[in-house]
Amino acid sequence: MTKNKEQDELNKDFLKWLEEDDPFGLNEEIKIIIFKCLDCGKEDEVPEYVVEEFHFDLKENEELGVVCSFCNGTMRRARKDPSE
């Protein structure tokens, strides 16, 4: 087998492994959290994994605040039920 043909076979095997096993989680569904701006009322979607990164610095019962990409106001997690 020539060197190029060997490399092609290795590449095919590697790509097959990636498709079957999904070692990097590329095929996982990304959960989205909706945030709503307290100032302008616009909503924005933030991936859950991004929100989780900031939970380590929060105190008990403290809510994560995100900067609104529309008006630079404060966004909070949107609630389906106003009593939440």
Side-chain angles (χ1 to χ4, degrees):
M1 221 185 258
T2 66
K3 192 172 189 175
N4 286 339
K5 204 167 198 171
E6 287 177 23
Q7 188 63 41
D8 287 343
E9 288 299 317
L10 287 173
N11 288 342
K12 285 180 188 176
D13 289 343
F14 179 72
L15 291 174
K16 185 178 179 184
W17 172 74
L18 281 177
E19 290 173 1
E20 291 175 358
D21 295 337
D22 191 28
F24 304 112
L26 300 175
N27 294 327
E28 289 182 12
E29 183 179 331
I30 297 175
K31 294 180 183 174
I32 299 294
I33 297 175
I34 305 294
F35 279 79
K36 186 171 184 174
C37 182
L38 301 175
D39 299 319
C40 70
K42 294 204 181 205
E43 293 184 349
D44 202 4
E45 298 178 343
V46 180
E48 184 181 53
Y49 66 87
V50 173
V51 174
E52 288 175 356
E53 290 292 321
F54 294 98
H55 277 282
F56 296 109
D57 295 332
L58 296 178
K59 297 177 179 122
E60 189 175 336
N61 295 327
E62 186 178 11
E63 193 172 339
L64 178 65
V66 178
V67 176
C68 177
S69 59
F70 302 101
C71 73
N72 289 330
T74 301
M75 297 188 96
R76 296 281 188 224
R77 190 179 206 148
R79 305 284 187 221
K80 291 180 184 175
D81 181 3
S83 65
E84 290 182 341

